[in-house]
């Protein structure tokens, strides 16, 4: 075809355009070609389930024998061990992993595993030093990486195994047993996968015999473990996609729910439970035995070299020893615990008291819908109270994990035994102003809270810190699913057509398909 416009004119482009149009029109009468490009459906982005204290709480059956998670009895555990494949609870497809807080008494050292489906381990490391933004707490809930190392060590599948927190020697071991439950639940382990064994190894029931226990370690290299160290990461707490960090209440959380006066307010929607002894709660003004303390005895009731003794205003007190038989490790009945929480007293006249050190009386303690806040000195005893509150009675519960070891450190203007201020008087975090009547410690008995602090005392990192939520923020970040930016169709393919047309030699842009579509 002769170029009628000239050698360097637009004739060639016009010719190409005409050919393209002709071919397009010819194709209109035939069958449309099918797009064989596979449709890629993007995977749904993982979402994190954020639970409330009410979501986390679970209520026990009246008869503890009927529980298959939460507080379980020796009879239930014996049935599981004898025939795990057929007796394990619904929804559990993995192993039975028993974690003892302590070695049991002689002859009852460890609940015997078969090391095939049933494993037993000794573990009591449920704390580590962490900074909350204002203070460094020597022992608080273990971090995400530490928890993942623990479940790696024992090869725990947090989605499919059943974890049983046991005491070993019953009594004080219930504290670490409670910390075991708190740690796994805090990090998102489902209630169906977690149990607390009622009683020490020698108080699990008459159907247990010497043959059900062992003192034999799995190997001489691990002298205290009756099951092999697996050291295999079969799961991570990140797999659970559950945020239960609301179980931990921070200093700021507690401050924000205190009443304006040191009175038990039954209308404010919170129940502030101090699980320490009465002499610690009252700063020595009252004791559970009824005796009057001397001045020196009041000083001796201080723990960890605190700057004062007393309680957050508006809180009420019931010693953890009222919830459990400390000689056997057996929790009191659900009916007995319910009686306490509603304000009733037991046969010995013990029950919740307020800042007047008088019993509250029936109906004047927990109110329906209240959110329970718990603490003791280091949240060890309070871990037992938490089992009673959140696992047996099914009440929405939060643990002030930093506890009174932090609270009673934050006294503005107090001097420690080295003559240094414990906390500047103008710190916004001083809690002496938020406490009931308190008893100040002698300066020579107050451990340092600064750079020269002791291992048991909190170290005040920033007395003017913006908040006390650094641990919660860190833990939320650890379990939050990673996300990638949405780049559309395969990432950048939307620009490919314009790039091709721009580089088409003579700048010819083909017209739209005249057939439509």
């Amino acid at each position: 075809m002769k170029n009628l416009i000239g050698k360097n004119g637009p004739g060639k482009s016009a010719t190409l355009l005409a050919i393209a149009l002709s071919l397009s029109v010819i194709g209109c009468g035939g069958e449309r070609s099918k797009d064989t490009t596979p449709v890629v459906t993007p995977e749904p982005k993982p979402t994190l389930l954020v639970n409330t204290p009410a979501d986390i709480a679970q209520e026990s059956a009246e008869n503890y024998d009927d529980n298959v998670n939460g507080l379980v009895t020796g009879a239930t555990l014996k049935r599981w061990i004898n025939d795990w494949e057929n007796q394990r609870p619904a929804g559990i497809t993995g192993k039975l992993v028993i974690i003892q807080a302590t070695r049991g008494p002689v002859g009852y050292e460890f609940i015997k595993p078969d090391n095939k489906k049933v494993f037993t381990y000794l573990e009591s490391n449920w704390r580590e030093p962490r900074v909350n933004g204002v203070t460094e707490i020597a022992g608080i809930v273990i971090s995400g990486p530490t928890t993942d190392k623990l479940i790696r060590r024992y090869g725990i599948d947090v989605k499919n195994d059943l974890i049983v927190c046991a005491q070993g020697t019953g009594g004080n071991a219930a504290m670490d047993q409670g910390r075991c439950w708190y740690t796994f639940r805090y990090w998102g382990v489902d209630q169906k996968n977690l149990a607390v064994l009622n009683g020490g190894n020698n108080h699990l029931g008459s159907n247990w015999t010497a043959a059900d226990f062992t003192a034999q370690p799995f190997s001489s290299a691990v002298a205290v473990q009756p099951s092999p160290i697996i050291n295999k990461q079969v799961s991570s707490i990140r797999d659970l996609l559950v945020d239960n960090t609301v179980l931990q209440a921070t200093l700021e959380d507690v401050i924000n729910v205190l009443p304006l006066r040191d009175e038990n307010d039954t209308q404010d929607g919170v129940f502030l439970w101090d699980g320490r002894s009465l002499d610690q709660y009252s700063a020595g003004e009252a004791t559970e035995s009824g005796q009057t303390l001397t001045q020196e005895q009041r000083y001796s009731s201080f723990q960890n070299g605190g700057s004062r003794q007393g309680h957050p205003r508006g809180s009420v007190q019931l010693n953890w020893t009222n919830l459990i038989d400390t000689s056997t490790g057996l929790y009191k009945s659900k009916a007995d615990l319910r009686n306490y929480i509603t304000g009733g007293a037991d046969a010995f006249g013990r029950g919740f008291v307020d800042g007047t050190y008088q019993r509250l009386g029936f109906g004047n303690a927990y109110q329906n819908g209240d959110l329970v806040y718990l603490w003791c000195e280091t949240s060890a005893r309070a871990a037992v109270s938490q089992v009673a509150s959140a696992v047996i009675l099914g009440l929405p519960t939060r643990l002030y994990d930093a506890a009174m070891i932090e609270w009673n450190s934050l006294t503005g203007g107090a001097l420690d035994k080295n003559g240094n201020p414990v906390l500047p008087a103008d710190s916004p975090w001083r809690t002496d102003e938020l406490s009931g009547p308190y008893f100040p410690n002698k300066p020579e008995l107050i451990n340092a809270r600064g750079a020269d602090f002791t291992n048991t005392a909190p170290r005040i990192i920033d007395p003017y810190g913006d908040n006390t939520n650094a641990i919660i923020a860190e833990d939320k970040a650890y379990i939050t699913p990673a996300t990638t930016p949405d780049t559309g169709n395969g990432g950048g393919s939307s620009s490919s057509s314009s790039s091709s047309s721009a580089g088409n030699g003579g700048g010819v842009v083909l017209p739209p398909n005249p057939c439509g579509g």
Side-chain angles (χ1 to χ4, degrees):
M1 179 181 295
K2 186 176 180 181
N3 188 345
L4 300 178
I5 300 179
K7 183 176 180 180
N8 297 318
K12 185 176 181 180
S13 296
T15 301
L16 291 173
L17 183 59
I19 294 171
L21 285 170
S22 300
L23 292 174
S24 298
V25 173
I26 291 170
C28 289
E31 181 181 350
R32 291 186 64 179
S33 62
K34 295 181 180 179
D35 185 358
T36 58
T37 304
V39 177
V40 179
T41 303
E43 293 184 8
K45 295 180 179 178
T47 56
L48 191 69
L49 175 64
V50 181
N51 282 322
T52 67
D55 296 326
I56 299 168
Q58 58 188 111
E59 185 172 358
S60 168
E62 292 293 325
N63 184 344
Y64 298 152
D65 283 335
D66 295 334
N67 293 331
V68 293
N69 50 57
L71 186 68
V72 301
T73 64
T76 299
L77 182 60
K78 171 83 167 174
R79 174 167 52 84
W80 287 342
I81 292 174
N82 287 347
D83 187 11
W84 178 242
E85 287 295 330
N86 296 306
Q87 296 296 323
R88 57 187 169 192
I92 302 298
T93 59
K95 307 180 297 294
L96 176 61
V97 182
I98 301 163
I99 301 180
Q100 291 188 192
T102 63
R103 178 190 287 260
V106 175
Y108 304 89
E109 286 86 349
F110 296 105
I111 297 168
K112 184 183 290 185
D114 63 15
N115 293 326
K116 296 176 182 177
K117 295 293 184 181
V118 180
F119 297 80
T120 299
Y121 295 104
L122 182 68
E123 181 61 63
S124 59
N125 296 318
W126 304 108
R127 301 170 181 275
E128 68 179 84
R130 302 182 69 188
V131 176
N132 65 16
V134 173
T135 59
E136 178 184 29
I137 308 302
I140 202 166
V141 66
I142 59 178
S143 66
T146 301
T147 305
D148 270 341
K149 288 177 184 176
L150 184 146
I151 65 176
R152 176 188 179 91
R153 177 173 172 80
Y154 304 133
I156 298 172
D157 183 338
V158 290
K159 282 188 173 182
N160 298 305
D161 292 346
L162 177 59
I163 305 165
V164 176
C165 301
Q167 295 178 37
T169 297
N172 287 345
M175 300 179 196
D176 276 334
Q177 177 191 44
R179 297 289 306 185
C180 172
W181 179 90
Y182 167 62
T183 301
F184 283 116
R185 204 72 175 98
Y186 175 87
W187 283 110
V189 173
D190 195 87
Q191 68 177 43
K192 78 177 188 315
N193 297 87
L194 190 58
V196 176
L197 181 61
N198 196 23
N201 285 1
N202 55 331
H203 294 282
L204 297 180
S206 58
N207 59 341
W208 286 76
T209 68
D212 296 315
F213 301 94
T214 182
Q216 181 66 40
F218 183 79
S219 71
S220 58
V222 187
V224 297
Q225 299 290 10
S227 289
I229 298 301
I230 296 174
N231 200 27
K232 180 180 179 182
Q233 198 84 57
V234 298
S235 70
S236 165
I237 54 174
R238 288 169 156 168
D239 300 335
L240 298 169
L241 297 175
V242 173
D243 181 349
N244 284 347
T245 56
V246 72
L247 263 181
Q248 181 187 166
T250 68
L251 170 68
E252 190 170 356
D253 291 332
V254 174
I255 288 173
N256 287 341
V257 296
L258 296 185
L260 297 178
R261 293 180 294 276
D262 186 30
E263 298 174 358
N264 175 38
D265 187 347
T266 59
Q267 304 299 316
D268 60 3
V270 294
F271 186 73
L272 308 175
W273 181 349
D274 192 317
R276 296 174 297 161
S277 61
L278 183 55
D279 60 314
Q280 291 179 317
Y281 170 82
S282 70
E285 292 182 352
T287 64
E288 276 140 342
S289 65
Q291 74 175 108
T292 301
L293 298 183
T294 66
Q295 199 82 330
E296 288 306 311
Q297 286 174 324
R298 293 181 74 176
Y299 286 123
S300 67
S301 71
F302 283 67
Q303 281 186 275
N304 303 301
S307 56
R308 66 177 196 275
Q309 190 77 278
H311 60 266
R313 66 189 181 203
S315 61
V316 295
Q317 182 270 346
L318 180 67
N319 199 330
W320 75 283
T321 56
N322 292 302
L323 311 174
I324 194 170
D325 184 335
T326 56
S327 66
T328 64
L330 292 166
Y331 279 85
K332 290 187 176 180
S333 71
K334 185 181 176 185
D336 287 342
L337 299 178
R338 187 188 300 114
N339 177 56
Y340 283 135
I341 202 71
T342 53
D346 61 23
F348 301 97
R350 293 187 292 254
F352 276 102
V353 303
D354 61 14
T356 67
Y357 317 129
Q358 302 299 311
R359 287 202 307 272
L360 298 183
F362 187 79
N364 295 319
Y366 181 86
Q367 307 294 308
N368 287 337
D370 278 355
L371 178 55
V372 178
Y373 286 79
L374 280 170
W375 60 78
C376 59
E377 179 73 8
T378 62
S379 288
R381 290 171 283 179
V384 178
S385 305
Q386 186 174 46
V387 171
S389 180
V391 183
I392 299 176
L393 295 175
L395 305 180
T397 304
R398 303 183 73 188
L399 182 69
Y400 173 31
D401 202 357
M404 293 297 100
I405 193 172
E406 177 183 53
W407 187 269
N408 285 331
S409 295
L410 300 171
T411 304
L415 299 179
D416 65 25
K417 60 187 178 184
N418 300 319
N420 297 318
V422 172
L423 184 78
D426 61 346
S427 169
W429 300 107
R430 57 183 298 178
T431 55
D432 50 311
E433 300 173 325
L434 305 175
S435 299
Y438 64 87
F439 184 61
N441 204 354
K442 295 178 181 178
E444 60 266 31
L445 299 178
I446 300 174
N447 288 336
R449 260 57 177 175
D452 53 349
F453 81 119
T454 64
N455 289 334
T456 56
R459 181 163 61 104
I460 297 176
I461 301 294
D462 184 358
Y464 304 102
D466 291 336
N467 59 67
T468 61
N469 300 326
I471 293 171
I472 301 295
E474 178 185 323
D475 293 347
K476 283 180 174 291
Y478 188 78
I479 57 177
T480 299
T483 57
T484 55
D486 186 356
T487 57
N489 185 18
S493 63
S494 59
S495 63
S496 60
S497 60
S498 59
S499 300
S500 300
S501 60
N504 197 9
V508 177
V509 179
L510 295 180
N513 182 358
C515 303

